[in-house]
């Protein structure tokens, strides 16, 4: 098996591919991409972009049309990420976008095998004798699976697009434009796709009429024995509702007079974390409840004083719900928790006082609950301008984790209150992913859905594969940024409750709305994404999938 080597550049790539069937092309490209480390947040991302650029540049079409492949810098990116664009011009303005991300998660999960995480052949042999999980061993022995970090998520998805790109450049001129995009940072804050929007919008202004975008992010069985291939006509969105809780400290010898923010935070966590009451009930869709991703008090050293503040935030998938609805529910939870905590604290203090025969003392355990927008309005009503404080924090902490900066901003605003009022401030932290779906009321939405269904029915009859079309890709994907369904009022609620959004997390909402590209995920198939047993199923991914995408593309361009 030939492998492309980084040190050889892209000069010899085409010669290794040109006479191979597409399934072998895809496996060869996948192995080459897996061999190159591109962990999110490392310079390997920019190196992977350069490799992809050189690989595609070696194709005869791009030797003749070098202006139709280009690198786009991600602005102000500390590790020099780049997006790779390739364009095949067609006979009409109709345009299909193909996209995939080249970054991967790290390899700590491989433990002692970390050095071999990018060697599919070694891993297959290792898992042939693996006794830890019988299904993994069976898959390794079958020879039908390719192991390795990124094999599933999503170097094979890139390989499918690149092989199809080569296919389309060897055919007659297509009936419309084909735009290919390979970007980084999908596994973190989506800086690659967000940056790519400007070039996609530039093409739109030049007359490119987007029909749909096709992502190849991975799909997997939903349950044991599930052999269906799930095709998604949209993507889940994501919010990060965040709570900053400011209490009242006390010495542990007087602990019952405190307002302990960790108690409030704990109760909020119990109310929200993994609570199926917040699971969106959408028939036929695989939806997920919120989960706590961060929980911490403000103490950095040991002392015998109760904590003064605590922070927690939640991963909150949204499918049809809006930021306004989520914020309303989160505030309702906080109000319930602080009310119950106030009643409990009063009763405990009184019981303790009577037990020891202490005299009565006046204490309040009332805690305010305000959204960030409400609190900033509260400050302004009292002649306190929050903007200079927010800008200073951002300037001083620029380059640090954006959630850390967001909490520092909210904490600084709380300190502007001269009365040090105990309160819960509810806000949003980055990132934000819009939810979207193919809207059949959209100019092309209904036709896109019909084309997809017809192609899948034909391929199912020919191959025996069973396809199921669902509305929402259940995890996070870059396709979220290609269209927007939230109303302006809902977006405004989000923007007003994310501190200094234009600097901290500048998402080009207006541009997304103008692009409005229906997003489809026709993904590579495999198991255990983000796990050390990650593997892609070769017979479907390398042979069936490229044909599906080719057919869907041809039919879309006939719309």
């Amino acid at each position: 098996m030939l492998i492309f080597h980084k040190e050889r550049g892209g000069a010899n790539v085409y010669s290794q591919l040109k006479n191979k069937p597409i399934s072998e092309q895809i496996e060869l490209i996948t192995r080459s991409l897996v061999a190159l480390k591109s962990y999110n947040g490392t310079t390997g991302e920019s190196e992977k972009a350069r490799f992809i650029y050189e690989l595609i540049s070696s194709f005869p079409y791009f030797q003749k049309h070098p202006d139709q492949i280009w690198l786009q810098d991600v602005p102000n990116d500390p590790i020099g990420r780049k997006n790779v664009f390739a364009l095949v011009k067609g006979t009409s303005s109709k345009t299909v976008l193909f996209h995939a991300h080249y970054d991967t998660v790290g390899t700590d999960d491989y433990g002692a095998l970390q050095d071999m995480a990018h060697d599919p052949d070694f891993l297959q042999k290792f898992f042939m004798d693996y006794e830890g999980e019988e299904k993994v061993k069976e898959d390794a022995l079958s020879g039908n699976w390719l192991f390795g970090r990124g094999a599933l998520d999503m170097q094979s998805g890139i390989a499918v697009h690149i092989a199809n790109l080569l296919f389309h450049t060897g055919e007659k001129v297509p009936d419309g434009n084909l735009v290919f995009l390979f970007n980084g940072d999908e596994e973190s804050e989506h800086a690659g796709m967000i940056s790519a929007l400007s070039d996609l919008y530039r093409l739109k202004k030049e007359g490119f009429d987007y029909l749909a975008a096709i992502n190849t992010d991975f799909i997997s069985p939903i349950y044991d024995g599930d052999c269906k291939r799930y095709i998604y006509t949209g993507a889940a969105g994501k919010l990060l509702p965040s709570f900053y809780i400011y209490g009242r400290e006390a010495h542990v010898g007087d602990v019952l007079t405190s307002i302990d923010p960790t108690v409030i935070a704990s109760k909020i966590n119990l109310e929200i974390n993994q609570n199926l009451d917040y699971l969106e009930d959408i028939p036929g869709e695989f939806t997920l409840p919120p989960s706590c991703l961060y929980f911490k008090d403000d103490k950095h050293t040991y002392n015998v004083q109760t904590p003064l503040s605590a922070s927690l935030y939640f991963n909150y998938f949204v499918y049809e719900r809006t930021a306004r609805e989520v914020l309303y529910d989160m505030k309702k939870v906080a109000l319930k928790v602080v009310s119950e905590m106030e009643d409990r604290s009063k009763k405990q203090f009184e019981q303790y006082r009577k037990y020891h025969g202490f005299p009565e003392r006046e204490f309040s355990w009332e805690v305010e609950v305000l959204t960030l927008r409400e609190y900033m309005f509260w400050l302004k009503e009292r002649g306190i301008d929050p903007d200079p404080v927010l800008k200073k924090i951002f300037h001083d902490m620029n380059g640090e984790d954006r959630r850390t900066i967001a909490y520092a901003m909210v904490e600084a605003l709380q300190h502007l209150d001269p009365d040090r009022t105990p309160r819960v401030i509810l806000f949003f932290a980055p990132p934000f992913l819009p939810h979207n779906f193919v809207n059949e009321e959209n100019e092309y939405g209904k036709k896109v859905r019909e084309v997809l269904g017809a192609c899948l029915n034909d391929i199912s009859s020919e191959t025996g594969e069973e396809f199921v079309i669902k509305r929402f890709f259940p995890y996070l994907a870059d396709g979220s940024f290609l269209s927007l369904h939230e109303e302006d009022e809902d977006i405004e609620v989000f923007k007003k409750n994310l501190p200094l959004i234009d600097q901290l997390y500048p998402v080009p909402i207006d541009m997304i709305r103008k692009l409005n590209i229906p997003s489809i995920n026709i993904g590579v198939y495999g198991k255990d994404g983000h796990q050390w047993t990650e593997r892609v199923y070769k017979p479907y991914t390398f042979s069936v999938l490229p044909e599906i995408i080719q057919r869907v593309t041809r039919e879309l361009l006939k719309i």
Side-chain angles (χ1 to χ4, degrees), residues 340-355:
E340 291 175 351
M341 190 280 303
E342 182 181 5
D343 290 342
R344 173 178 175 267
S345 296
K346 285 179 181 177
K347 290 176 182 176
Q348 287 198 149
F349 182 80
E350 187 61 17
Q351 182 181 351
Y352 182 78
R353 182 191 69 80
K354 289 180 178 178
Y355 177 80

Side-chain angles (χ1 to χ4, degrees), residues 261-330:
T262 66
V263 174
I264 298 172
S266 297
K267 290 183 176 295
I268 289 174
N269 190 31
L270 288 172
E271 288 282 339
I272 298 171
N273 192 12
Q274 303 175 28
N275 187 342
L276 297 187
D277 290 343
Y278 298 107
L279 188 73
E280 289 189 50
D281 184 12
I282 306 174
E285 296 298 312
F286 177 64
T287 59
L288 292 160
S291 53
C292 184
L293 296 182
Y294 182 85
F295 188 146
K296 192 176 187 300
D297 65 39
D298 67 345
K299 296 187 74 168
H300 301 291
T301 58
Y302 172 79
N303 61 36
V304 290
Q305 178 178 291
T306 60
L308 182 57
S309 67
S311 308
L312 72 163
Y313 57 69
F314 297 88
N315 184 92
Y316 201 116
F317 287 112
V318 286
Y319 305 87
E320 293 179 340
R321 304 196 75 206
T322 65
R324 178 166 48 178
E325 292 170 322
V326 171
L327 192 69
Y328 174 81
D329 280 350
M330 299 296 97

